[in-house]
Amino acid sequence: MSASQSVDATAPSGPCLDGRDDDALVARWRELLDRHARTTGALEKVLQERHQLGVSEFEVLERLAGCDREQNRMQALADTVHLSQSALSRLIGRLEADGLVSRSMCSDDRRGIFACLTPAGRERYEAARPTQRQLLAELLND
């Protein structure tokens, strides 16, 4: 379910769960939340200390590094990194101020704006990637 979709509280909720199934479901949900929080917190700390990048900034650089021509439309990028357009615009502004990305107009649609990875952004991403992958391996490999 995307962030733009909502749950209809009046819709039938499917099969009823007994107390044990309900408790197990909630326990799995809380385990997922805890694991996400621990992983994100650890990544945030290490990426910031070693590479002066936050988790969202790293994700943007990684998404751009993986795109053809190392650019992506802002709207598509916002969807893939799970940020609002406003939050992404602020994040891109910080990356732009650091010389890691630039913005350019879409020649086909003047309303469209591309975020583009700069050579400095590519360099910072490539330096941070092994750190991120090592930490993910440590935290997520059970």
Side-chain angles (χ1 to χ4, degrees):
M1 178 181 304
S2 73
S4 62
Q5 294 175 321
S6 63
V7 175
D8 180 358
T10 62
S13 61
C16 294
L17 300 174
D18 67 22
R20 287 182 311 219
D21 289 340
D22 187 56
D23 291 346
L25 182 64
V26 170
R28 286 195 315 269
W29 169 246
R30 289 181 179 154
E31 180 183 332
L32 176 64
L33 290 175
D34 289 344
R35 191 171 196 181
H36 177 270
R38 283 192 311 274
T39 303
T40 302
L43 282 170
E44 194 73 45
K45 180 178 187 232
V46 171
L47 287 172
Q48 192 61 244
E49 287 174 354
R50 296 184 190 171
H51 306 285
Q52 295 72 54
L53 291 171
V55 171
S56 294
E57 293 164 331
F58 177 86
E59 282 297 318
V60 166
L61 295 179
E62 183 160 67
R63 301 300 172 114
L64 291 174
C67 290
D68 292 338
R69 300 186 323 261
E70 296 186 337
Q71 67 181 19
N72 203 342
R73 287 181 74 115
M74 293 283 284
Q75 175 60 50
L77 191 56
D79 291 343
T80 63
V81 296
H82 310 290
L83 293 173
S84 68
Q85 284 186 0
S86 176
L88 178 66
S89 184
R90 289 189 304 273
L91 188 145
I92 292 293
R94 291 191 304 273
L95 292 173
E96 198 171 26
D98 290 342
L100 304 178
V101 300
S102 62
R103 296 181 214 219
S104 68
M105 299 299 291
C106 176
S107 60
D108 298 336
D109 178 0
R110 300 299 293 164
R111 296 170 295 170
I113 299 173
F114 284 109
C116 308
L117 191 63
T118 65
R122 163 65 70 185
E123 187 177 312
R124 179 89 60 94
Y125 163 70
E126 288 177 355
R129 186 178 184 275
T131 302
Q132 191 251 16
R133 295 303 198 271
Q134 180 182 357
L135 194 54
L136 287 179
E138 291 171 10
L139 295 170
L140 299 178
N141 287 337
D142 294 326

